[in-house]
Each structure stands twice: as structure tokens, then as C-alpha cells.
């Protein structure tokens, strides 16, 4: 029997997204389903894990395995799933607050550990779900939040540079306003054998209307992806945060637990019996 190829719409669930009109996360959802269709990944082999936040709703909108968990813990849950089910394509998704603030420690060690999974962070430089506080990637002079009326006053978190320093082997940045380019990046990230980090510039039209300027500011990397960490560091240090494309890609040893599950549930229960 011939199995029909999956289309992008086959990966969309019946749940209608509740994001604000104009939210960049709509385009991320669309690009992700197109990337999954391009790869022909069976739905039962994909799992999306998220924490809390507007973008962390995404697993509900994908027709595959999904888990909407605790704030900042998407990578911890995703790592456990990958360890238990290495046959699955595991994708952790979320926003800049969830991933770089509450989940910042998990981000560092996921880069260092290099398990075979993909981490997509939809970065809108604001806590949108909780009405617009500054996030780790908000600029120091952003004064539109009542929580920081004089601006955060501290330098931005630099996700790509920190991912490189922490040991990630695949680092990319996409823009929701470039759905075709973002689809190519996400497909490459899912195919990458190791921890692939993708920062997606995804505007929040409600609390950061100034992000309309992003479409004028983004620009593609004018070079082939480098596999040289020193060269990547030079690129990222000179970067204005608006460069899109695969910024660094090098195959590194992938970490897997040494002891894969080999015991039955009954054997595990017996081991813990008092």
C-alpha cells in the first residue's frame, strides 16, 4: 500500500491559536509544519515540549506528541524524554523569558550536554502573556513597561553568543517575517545530529509595536555557515542581533545516557520494593 506524503496542514491540530492578531508566532507555527512536511517526519515520531508563555502554547497547535509543562523547564522535560525515547524527534519550544530567564540554567547545560534535539525560542523581547514586562533580551533603554519606567538599564542577554560559549554545535537565527527562510532553518535544525538552537525573531504587536521596524532591520548572513568556533565567535561578537541564517554548524559528540532502559516495569517496581 502506498502511503501518501504528509502535507503541512496534516501537522496542524484542530485547536485554533489564540495569539494576538499579527503575532509572529503564527508564522513560526506555519514554518514548523512546512519543515516537518519537508522532512516527511511521521507525526508519531515527533514530540514538542514547552514551558509557559504565549509561544509555549505551540504544542497544542501541532498534531504530534506534546507536553505543556512548567515555566522554564521545557529543556529539562525534553532531555528526559529524549533519554527515554531516543527514537523520537524531540523539539523544545518557548519564548525568551521562559528560555533565557527562568530556564536560563537549563539552556546553558542543554548546549553543553548536546543531546540530539531542537530548541526553538520565539524571541519578542518582552513578557507578552503577563502584560509586557522586560525580558532578558529587552534593550536597556526600553521604557514602555510600568515595571521598569526608566528602562531595564542592563545589557541584553546574547542568546547566540552564549549558546556558542556553552558548547552548542548548531546555532541559527530566523525571522517570522521570512517564512521561507525560517522553514529552511528549522528543517536543517531538526536534521542536525545534536543540540540545535534556533532563535526566531518573532514580533509582539501588542506590547512591542516598535518591532514593526524589524522587517527593515533583519539581514541575511553574507557567508556560508561556518563550522569553526573561533570564526563563529568573531561573527557573533560583531553581530547586531538582526543577522539571520545558520550562524554556526559543527558536528560534535552527541551525549546519550549509557544505560538505556532495559528493565520491565515489574523489575523496576521490584527494585524499589521495601
Amino acid at each position: 500500500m502506498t502511503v501518501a506524503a504528509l502535507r503541512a496542514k496534516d501537522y496542524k491540530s484542530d485547536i485554533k491559536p489564540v495569539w494576538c492578531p499579527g503575532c509572529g508566532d503564527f508564522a513560526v507555527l506555519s514554518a514548523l509544519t512546512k519543515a516537518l512536511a519537508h522532512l516527511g517526519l511521521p507525526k508519531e515520531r515527533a514530540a514538542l515540549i514547552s514551558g509557559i508563555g504565549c509561544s509555549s502554547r505551540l504544542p497544542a497547535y501541532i498534531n504530534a506528541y506534546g507536553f505543556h509543562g512548567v515555566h522554564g523547564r521545557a529543556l529539562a522535560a525534553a532531555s528526559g524524554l529524549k533519554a527515554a525515547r531516543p527514537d523520537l524527534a524531540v523539539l523544545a519550544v518557548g519564548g525568551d523569558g521562559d528560555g533565557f530567564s527562568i530556564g536560563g540554567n537549563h539552556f546553558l547545560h542543554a548546549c553543553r550536554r548536546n543531546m540530539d534535539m531542537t530548541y526553538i525560542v520565539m524571541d519578542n523581547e518582552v513578557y507578552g502573556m503577563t502584560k509586557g514586562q522586560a525580558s532578558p533580551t529587552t534593550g536597556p533603554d526600553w521604557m514602555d513597561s510600568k515595571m521598569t519606567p526608566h528602562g531595564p538599564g542592563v545589557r541584553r542577554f546574547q542568546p547566540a553568543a552564549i549558546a556558542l560559549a556553552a558548547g552548542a554545535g548548531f546555532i541559527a537565527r530566523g525571522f517570522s517575517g521570512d517564512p521561507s527562510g525560517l522553514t529552511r532553518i528549522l528543517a536543517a535544525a531538526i536534521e542536525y545530529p545534536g543540540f540545535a538552537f534556533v532563535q526566531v525573531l518573532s514580533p509582539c504587536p501588542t506590547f512591542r509595536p516598535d518591532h514593526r521596524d524589524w522587517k527593515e532591520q533583519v539581514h541575511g548572513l553574507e557567508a556560508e555557515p561556518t563550522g569553526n568556533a573561533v570564526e563563529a565567535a568573531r561573527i557573533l561578537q560583531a553581530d547586531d542581533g538582526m543577522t539571520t541564517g545558520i550562524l554556526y554548524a559543527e558536528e560534535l559528540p552527541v551525549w546519550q545516557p549509557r544505560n538505556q532502559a532495559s528493565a520491565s516495569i515489574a523489575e523496576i517496581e521490584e527494585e524499589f520494593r521495601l
Side-chain angles (χ1 to χ4, degrees), residues 88-108:
L88 293 178
V90 176
L91 292 83
V93 299
D96 40 301
D98 183 75
F100 303 144
S101 183
I102 299 97
N105 192 40
H106 293 296
F107 176 56
L108 296 178

PDB file of all heavy atoms in Angstrom, residues 88-108:
ATOM      1  N   LEU A  88      12.523   9.297  19.073  1.00  0.00           N
ATOM      2  CA  LEU A  88      11.667  10.436  18.757  1.00  0.00           C
ATOM      3  C   LEU A  88      12.495  11.651  18.340  1.00  0.00           C
ATOM      4  O   LEU A  88      13.606  11.852  18.819  1.00  0.00           O
ATOM      5  CB  LEU A  88      10.822  10.829  19.972  1.00  0.00           C
ATOM      6  CG  LEU A  88       9.750   9.847  20.434  1.00  0.00           C
ATOM      7  CD1 LEU A  88       9.053  10.398  21.680  1.00  0.00           C
ATOM      8  CD2 LEU A  88       8.741   9.564  19.333  1.00  0.00           C
ATOM      9  N   ALA A  89      11.920  12.458  17.439  1.00  0.00           N
ATOM     10  CA  ALA A  89      12.470  13.782  17.153  1.00  0.00           C
ATOM     11  C   ALA A  89      11.888  14.727  18.189  1.00  0.00           C
ATOM     12  O   ALA A  89      10.694  15.024  18.161  1.00  0.00           O
ATOM     13  CB  ALA A  89      12.094  14.220  15.749  1.00  0.00           C
ATOM     14  N   VAL A  90      12.709  15.164  19.123  1.00  0.00           N
ATOM     15  CA  VAL A  90      12.234  15.987  20.241  1.00  0.00           C
ATOM     16  C   VAL A  90      12.534  17.456  19.961  1.00  0.00           C
ATOM     17  O   VAL A  90      13.672  17.819  19.652  1.00  0.00           O
ATOM     18  CB  VAL A  90      12.898  15.549  21.562  1.00  0.00           C
ATOM     19  CG1 VAL A  90      12.484  16.472  22.705  1.00  0.00           C
ATOM     20  CG2 VAL A  90      12.521  14.107  21.880  1.00  0.00           C
ATOM     21  N   LEU A  91      11.495  18.284  20.067  1.00  0.00           N
ATOM     22  CA  LEU A  91      11.633  19.723  19.873  1.00  0.00           C
ATOM     23  C   LEU A  91      11.122  20.435  21.117  1.00  0.00           C
ATOM     24  O   LEU A  91       9.985  20.213  21.543  1.00  0.00           O
ATOM     25  CB  LEU A  91      10.826  20.213  18.664  1.00  0.00           C
ATOM     26  CG  LEU A  91      11.282  19.767  17.271  1.00  0.00           C
ATOM     27  CD1 LEU A  91      10.742  18.381  16.931  1.00  0.00           C
ATOM     28  CD2 LEU A  91      10.821  20.774  16.221  1.00  0.00           C
ATOM     29  N   ALA A  92      11.963  21.266  21.711  1.00  0.00           N
ATOM     30  CA  ALA A  92      11.528  22.127  22.805  1.00  0.00           C
ATOM     31  C   ALA A  92      11.255  23.509  22.219  1.00  0.00           C
ATOM     32  O   ALA A  92      12.009  23.985  21.363  1.00  0.00           O
ATOM     33  CB  ALA A  92      12.603  22.208  23.889  1.00  0.00           C
ATOM     34  N   VAL A  93      10.163  24.126  22.657  1.00  0.00           N
ATOM     35  CA  VAL A  93       9.778  25.428  22.110  1.00  0.00           C
ATOM     36  C   VAL A  93       9.385  26.366  23.243  1.00  0.00           C
ATOM     37  O   VAL A  93       8.955  25.930  24.305  1.00  0.00           O
ATOM     38  CB  VAL A  93       8.609  25.295  21.110  1.00  0.00           C
ATOM     39  CG1 VAL A  93       8.999  24.428  19.929  1.00  0.00           C
ATOM     40  CG2 VAL A  93       7.373  24.711  21.797  1.00  0.00           C
ATOM     41  N   GLY A  94       9.545  27.661  23.010  1.00  0.00           N
ATOM     42  CA  GLY A  94       9.148  28.630  24.038  1.00  0.00           C
ATOM     43  C   GLY A  94       9.589  30.027  23.677  1.00  0.00           C
ATOM     44  O   GLY A  94       9.972  30.306  22.537  1.00  0.00           O
ATOM     45  N   GLY A  95       9.557  30.888  24.680  1.00  0.00           N
ATOM     46  CA  GLY A  95       9.903  32.276  24.458  1.00  0.00           C
ATOM     47  C   GLY A  95      11.163  32.690  25.183  1.00  0.00           C
ATOM     48  O   GLY A  95      11.805  31.894  25.878  1.00  0.00           O
ATOM     49  N   ASP A  96      11.529  33.977  25.038  1.00  0.00           N
ATOM     50  CA  ASP A  96      12.784  34.471  25.603  1.00  0.00           C
ATOM     51  C   ASP A  96      12.739  34.540  27.129  1.00  0.00           C
ATOM     52  O   ASP A  96      13.740  34.283  27.790  1.00  0.00           O
ATOM     53  CB  ASP A  96      13.125  35.845  25.031  1.00  0.00           C
ATOM     54  CG  ASP A  96      11.912  36.751  24.877  1.00  0.00           C
ATOM     55  OD1 ASP A  96      10.979  36.359  24.157  1.00  0.00           O
ATOM     56  OD2 ASP A  96      11.887  37.836  25.475  1.00  0.00           O
ATOM     57  N   GLY A  97      11.586  34.843  27.706  1.00  0.00           N
ATOM     58  CA  GLY A  97      11.501  34.855  29.166  1.00  0.00           C
ATOM     59  C   GLY A  97      11.596  33.461  29.731  1.00  0.00           C
ATOM     60  O   GLY A  97      12.347  33.189  30.675  1.00  0.00           O
ATOM     61  N   ASP A  98      10.837  32.553  29.152  1.00  0.00           N
ATOM     62  CA  ASP A  98      10.823  31.165  29.607  1.00  0.00           C
ATOM     63  C   ASP A  98      12.199  30.509  29.437  1.00  0.00           C
ATOM     64  O   ASP A  98      12.670  29.802  30.328  1.00  0.00           O
ATOM     65  CB  ASP A  98       9.777  30.397  28.795  1.00  0.00           C
ATOM     66  CG  ASP A  98       9.622  28.952  29.226  1.00  0.00           C
ATOM     67  OD1 ASP A  98       9.014  28.709  30.278  1.00  0.00           O
ATOM     68  OD2 ASP A  98      10.099  28.061  28.497  1.00  0.00           O
ATOM     69  N   GLY A  99      12.838  30.777  28.302  1.00  0.00           N
ATOM     70  CA  GLY A  99      14.067  30.060  27.984  1.00  0.00           C
ATOM     71  C   GLY A  99      15.339  30.679  28.530  1.00  0.00           C
ATOM     72  O   GLY A  99      16.279  29.972  28.892  1.00  0.00           O
ATOM     73  N   PHE A 100      15.374  32.027  28.605  1.00  0.00           N
ATOM     74  CA  PHE A 100      16.635  32.678  28.960  1.00  0.00           C
ATOM     75  C   PHE A 100      16.659  33.223  30.386  1.00  0.00           C
ATOM     76  O   PHE A 100      17.720  33.554  30.904  1.00  0.00           O
ATOM     77  CB  PHE A 100      16.920  33.820  27.983  1.00  0.00           C
ATOM     78  CG  PHE A 100      16.966  33.395  26.538  1.00  0.00           C
ATOM     79  CD1 PHE A 100      16.489  34.227  25.531  1.00  0.00           C
ATOM     80  CD2 PHE A 100      17.476  32.157  26.188  1.00  0.00           C
ATOM     81  CE1 PHE A 100      16.531  33.826  24.213  1.00  0.00           C
ATOM     82  CE2 PHE A 100      17.518  31.747  24.853  1.00  0.00           C
ATOM     83  CZ  PHE A 100      17.042  32.585  23.862  1.00  0.00           C
ATOM     84  N   SER A 101      15.466  33.342  31.009  1.00  0.00           N
ATOM     85  CA  SER A 101      15.421  33.821  32.391  1.00  0.00           C
ATOM     86  C   SER A 101      15.135  32.654  33.329  1.00  0.00           C
ATOM     87  O   SER A 101      16.053  32.102  33.940  1.00  0.00           O
ATOM     88  CB  SER A 101      14.353  34.910  32.545  1.00  0.00           C
ATOM     89  OG  SER A 101      14.358  35.406  33.867  1.00  0.00           O
ATOM     90  N   ILE A 102      13.877  32.265  33.423  1.00  0.00           N
ATOM     91  CA  ILE A 102      13.528  31.168  34.326  1.00  0.00           C
ATOM     92  C   ILE A 102      14.274  29.889  33.940  1.00  0.00           C
ATOM     93  O   ILE A 102      14.743  29.145  34.796  1.00  0.00           O
ATOM     94  CB  ILE A 102      12.005  30.919  34.329  1.00  0.00           C
ATOM     95  CG1 ILE A 102      11.268  32.154  34.817  1.00  0.00           C
ATOM     96  CG2 ILE A 102      11.654  29.729  35.200  1.00  0.00           C
ATOM     97  CD1 ILE A 102      10.730  33.058  33.748  1.00  0.00           C
ATOM     98  N   GLY A 103      14.403  29.653  32.644  1.00  0.00           N
ATOM     99  CA  GLY A 103      15.065  28.429  32.184  1.00  0.00           C
ATOM    100  C   GLY A 103      16.502  28.625  31.763  1.00  0.00           C
ATOM    101  O   GLY A 103      17.072  27.765  31.079  1.00  0.00           O
ATOM    102  N   GLY A 104      17.114  29.725  32.161  1.00  0.00           N
ATOM    103  CA  GLY A 104      18.460  30.020  31.695  1.00  0.00           C
ATOM    104  C   GLY A 104      19.493  28.961  32.028  1.00  0.00           C
ATOM    105  O   GLY A 104      20.357  28.627  31.205  1.00  0.00           O
ATOM    106  N   ASN A 105      19.399  28.417  33.213  1.00  0.00           N
ATOM    107  CA  ASN A 105      20.380  27.400  33.594  1.00  0.00           C
ATOM    108  C   ASN A 105      20.244  26.141  32.744  1.00  0.00           C
ATOM    109  O   ASN A 105      21.237  25.532  32.324  1.00  0.00           O
ATOM    110  CB  ASN A 105      20.198  27.058  35.076  1.00  0.00           C
ATOM    111  CG  ASN A 105      21.346  26.235  35.617  1.00  0.00           C
ATOM    112  OD1 ASN A 105      22.498  26.495  35.274  1.00  0.00           O
ATOM    113  ND2 ASN A 105      21.054  25.253  36.449  1.00  0.00           N
ATOM    114  N   HIS A 106      18.995  25.764  32.454  1.00  0.00           N
ATOM    115  CA  HIS A 106      18.780  24.591  31.601  1.00  0.00           C
ATOM    116  C   HIS A 106      19.314  24.843  30.190  1.00  0.00           C
ATOM    117  O   HIS A 106      19.815  23.930  29.533  1.00  0.00           O
ATOM    118  CB  HIS A 106      17.296  24.253  31.545  1.00  0.00           C
ATOM    119  CG  HIS A 106      16.735  23.788  32.855  1.00  0.00           C
ATOM    120  ND1 HIS A 106      17.153  22.619  33.463  1.00  0.00           N
ATOM    121  CD2 HIS A 106      15.813  24.330  33.678  1.00  0.00           C
ATOM    122  CE1 HIS A 106      16.491  22.460  34.606  1.00  0.00           C
ATOM    123  NE2 HIS A 106      15.689  23.484  34.762  1.00  0.00           N
ATOM    124  N   PHE A 107      19.190  26.094  29.731  1.00  0.00           N
ATOM    125  CA  PHE A 107      19.690  26.435  28.397  1.00  0.00           C
ATOM    126  C   PHE A 107      21.198  26.206  28.308  1.00  0.00           C
ATOM    127  O   PHE A 107      21.700  25.572  27.375  1.00  0.00           O
ATOM    128  CB  PHE A 107      19.339  27.893  28.091  1.00  0.00           C
ATOM    129  CG  PHE A 107      19.877  28.414  26.793  1.00  0.00           C
ATOM    130  CD1 PHE A 107      19.583  27.779  25.593  1.00  0.00           C
ATOM    131  CD2 PHE A 107      20.676  29.543  26.751  1.00  0.00           C
ATOM    132  CE1 PHE A 107      20.073  28.259  24.382  1.00  0.00           C
ATOM    133  CE2 PHE A 107      21.169  30.038  25.555  1.00  0.00           C
ATOM    134  CZ  PHE A 107      20.872  29.391  24.363  1.00  0.00           C
ATOM    135  N   LEU A 108      21.921  26.689  29.288  1.00  0.00           N
ATOM    136  CA  LEU A 108      23.378  26.522  29.291  1.00  0.00           C
ATOM    137  C   LEU A 108      23.776  25.058  29.229  1.00  0.00           C
ATOM    138  O   LEU A 108      24.633  24.643  28.437  1.00  0.00           O
ATOM    139  CB  LEU A 108      23.979  27.159  30.546  1.00  0.00           C
ATOM    140  CG  LEU A 108      23.837  28.666  30.708  1.00  0.00           C
ATOM    141  CD1 LEU A 108      24.444  29.102  32.035  1.00  0.00           C
ATOM    142  CD2 LEU A 108      24.489  29.393  29.559  1.00  0.00           C
TER     143      LEU A 108
END
